[in-house]
Amino acid sequence: MKPADGPASSSASHPAPGGSQNGLGCGHSTTPGDNGATTGRGASPPPPSGADDGSSGEPVGAPEFTVGWAQSQGNRPYQDDRCVEFTLPLPTGGAALVWAVADGHHQHHVSELVCEELEDTLRAAVAEQAELEAALRVTIKRLDDTVFARHNQGLLATGGTTLIVHVLTATHVYTANVGDCKSVLSSRGACIELNTCHNPIVPSERERFQAVGIYCSADHIGGSDINVCRTLGDYDLGMPLKGRDAEGRQLGPLISEPEICCVPLDELSEFVITASDGLWDYYSPESSVLSDTRRQMRRLEEDPQAVAEWLLEQALVHQRRTLHSGTPGDNITIMVVRLRPLPPLPRASASRLNLQSRGSGELISPKLADLPEGMQSLSDMHGLELTPEQRQQQMSRQASQQEALLRQASRSSSQGGLRPQSQCGSQPTLDQHAAAEADQ
């Protein structure tokens, strides 16, 4: 992957590509092309279950987590996506994991600025607000204020970004979303969507533009070259799309108001996939992405870094299948956050799976269980010397199958169909028996 144009983003630390970082101080902001993993836990061990200092609804403690991330330019000559993750001290005395994906457009400068400023801005908001939902709302507003101030100073000539931010505590995952990035939570394999994408296809989003006379189709907003209804930045588009009045209040239908939600975690919560639209636009539906990822996670020893890289490869394959030759795809950023180990697979049941086990532990059909060792099907018994017991079992099966064929042929004959099999002068072969057994 080629590095994106412009300076690389910076933060507290930069894990090496493909590397890992353990414990505290795991904050990072990605440079284009970086992939990596983080494993850690918050600052303080959790107290007995349900303990709380009374200052908020969150118990003292910290979640356990493992994070992997991967990025690709997606056949574009630049990378405008950025992502970041860090630990956040909470007023309760515990800590939370924060991760975010910013999908920039019209260059990377706004997405990079937002990810660089997110940690300090959120820390300040959490210190001021009693609830995490309120702190997230304040954080998004202040980030957009920062972008607007840079635009007014001439430091940002163009550009904007979508943004999805997650705060993972010991008991909940909070989401603040602006735009069309998306996250899903695996709850014992069930797909739980953690946010709604703000695209023109959503009626409530489209109506906001149509109410002020701006044409808005499923994939285009009039007067712009973007197809998302909420962003940070984009003040270069001007009114009637986006602007501010003399007192700094936002104007226009292209708003920066975040959607905030909170989902409780339980023993079924397994992992979260967060990604830019470069994944979801080409690899869908979300439930299929999650179930495919869950199966692959078992094969990859539940390593979220390996899973993120695998998922990135799948997204690129789907992009190439969807787009015409020579058409650029989209930047892709994927983050996988593992919350707890997947449950063990259920033990095979002979009654449930209709299988029996040989001495070697191999599971086979009970209809083949009496074959001599090394025989895989009834057709393998041609020319084989059978024991009296095996011969009796074979003759019994043939008799019952012959009776079934005669009954079926009799019914067909009574309805004007073919004559009974016994009158056709042919007998079923062992291969036909094997096929009939397989059908049964």
Side-chain angles (χ1 to χ4, degrees), residues 9-29:
S9 58
S10 62
S11 186
S13 60
H14 291 278
S20 63
Q21 188 173 359
N22 300 320
L24 296 177
C26 62
H28 80 274
S29 179

Side-chain angles (χ1 to χ4, degrees), residues 233-250:
D234 285 317
Y235 286 101
D236 57 297
L237 295 176
M239 292 299 292
L241 282 173
K242 193 167 190 177
R244 296 208 177 193
D245 62 17
E247 297 180 359
R249 291 188 294 261
Q250 195 174 97

Side-chain angles (χ1 to χ4, degrees), residues 213-402:
I214 297 177
Y215 170 77
C216 191
S217 68
D219 59 357
H220 178 70
I221 296 175
S224 74
D225 58 355
I226 61 176
N227 64 342
V228 63
C229 298
R230 304 190 190 195
T231 66
L232 302 181
D234 285 317
Y235 286 101
D236 57 297
L237 295 176
M239 292 299 292
L241 282 173
K242 193 167 190 177
R244 296 208 177 193
D245 62 17
E247 297 180 359
R249 291 188 294 261
Q250 195 174 97
L251 303 174
L254 186 59
I255 61 177
S256 304
E257 181 70 17
E259 168 202 18
I260 309 288
C261 76
C262 175
V263 174
L265 301 175
D266 55 27
E267 66 279 1
L268 303 182
S269 304
E270 297 170 337
F271 60 90
V272 177
I273 303 172
T274 301
S276 60
D277 62 339
L279 170 68
W280 308 109
D281 283 355
Y282 300 95
Y283 191 2
S284 61
E286 292 80 4
S287 56
S288 295
V289 176
L290 185 137
S291 60
D292 292 348
T293 303
R294 192 170 187 263
R295 283 192 295 270
Q296 192 66 21
M297 185 170 279
R298 292 189 184 277
R299 299 188 184 105
L300 297 175
E301 299 180 349
E302 302 191 30
D303 176 8
Q305 179 56 38
V307 172
E309 293 173 358
W310 172 85
L311 194 51
L312 178 64
E313 293 175 0
Q314 299 305 304
L316 291 170
V317 168
H318 281 77
Q319 278 198 16
R320 288 192 290 267
R321 288 175 180 172
T322 304
L323 299 172
H324 296 292
S325 178
T327 304
D330 195 3
N331 297 160
I332 306 171
T333 296
I334 298 170
M335 301 188 77
V336 178
V337 180
R338 178 177 176 267
L339 305 179
R340 58 174 40 84
L342 298 180
L345 291 172
R347 294 182 60 185
S349 167
S351 60
R352 178 183 175 192
L353 301 178
N354 199 27
L355 299 175
Q356 291 182 359
S357 177
R358 282 182 169 160
S360 63
E362 177 189 7
L363 294 176
I364 60 173
S365 167
K367 296 179 180 179
L368 304 179
D370 57 352
L371 291 179
E373 194 70 29
M375 295 296 101
Q376 301 299 319
S377 67
L378 290 174
S379 60
D380 293 337
M381 296 184 64
H382 283 298
L384 181 68
E385 186 70 26
L386 301 179
T387 65
E389 181 182 359
Q390 291 170 344
R391 191 179 303 278
Q392 181 63 33
Q393 291 172 345
Q394 180 184 3
M395 293 175 62
S396 175
R397 281 196 300 268
Q398 290 176 349
S400 62
Q401 291 163 2
Q402 186 75 359

Side-chain angles (χ1 to χ4, degrees), residues 404-415 418-421:
L405 290 172
L406 287 172
R407 286 194 299 270
Q408 181 180 2
S410 297
R411 286 195 296 270
S412 299
S413 178
S414 64
Q415 298 173 2
L418 299 174
R419 290 179 298 160
Q421 180 73 25

Side-chain angles (χ1 to χ4, degrees), residues 115-265:
C115 284
E116 288 177 342
E117 297 291 330
L118 176 61
E119 182 172 0
D120 290 342
T121 305
L122 182 56
R123 285 176 182 268
V126 166
E128 299 168 2
Q129 304 295 323
E131 300 294 336
L132 278 173
E133 294 96 328
L136 283 168
R137 196 173 301 277
V138 169
T139 297
I140 300 298
K141 182 182 183 305
R142 289 177 179 174
L143 289 173
D144 192 59
D145 290 344
T146 300
V147 175
F148 177 71
R150 298 286 182 92
H151 174 73
N152 268 354
Q153 296 166 9
L155 301 177
L156 286 175
T158 183
T161 188
T162 65
L163 178 67
I164 186 167
V165 182
H166 291 290
V167 179
L168 175 69
T169 70
T171 57
H172 294 80
V173 57
Y174 295 80
T175 305
N177 180 58
V178 178
D180 57 2
C181 294
K182 183 179 292 184
S183 290
V184 294
L185 167 69
S186 174
S187 177
R188 194 58 65 88
C191 181
I192 299 177
E193 297 187 11
L194 298 180
N195 68 287
T196 300
C197 289
H198 303 132
N199 291 323
I201 197 173
V202 180
S204 59
E205 298 293 319
R206 182 172 64 248
E207 290 167 1
R208 193 170 60 249
F209 289 82
Q210 294 173 339
V212 294
I214 297 177
Y215 170 77
C216 191
S217 68
D219 59 357
H220 178 70
I221 296 175
S224 74
D225 58 355
I226 61 176
N227 64 342
V228 63
C229 298
R230 304 190 190 195
T231 66
L232 302 181
D234 285 317
Y235 286 101
D236 57 297
L237 295 176
M239 292 299 292
L241 282 173
K242 193 167 190 177
R244 296 208 177 193
D245 62 17
E247 297 180 359
R249 291 188 294 261
Q250 195 174 97
L251 303 174
L254 186 59
I255 61 177
S256 304
E257 181 70 17
E259 168 202 18
I260 309 288
C261 76
C262 175
V263 174
L265 301 175

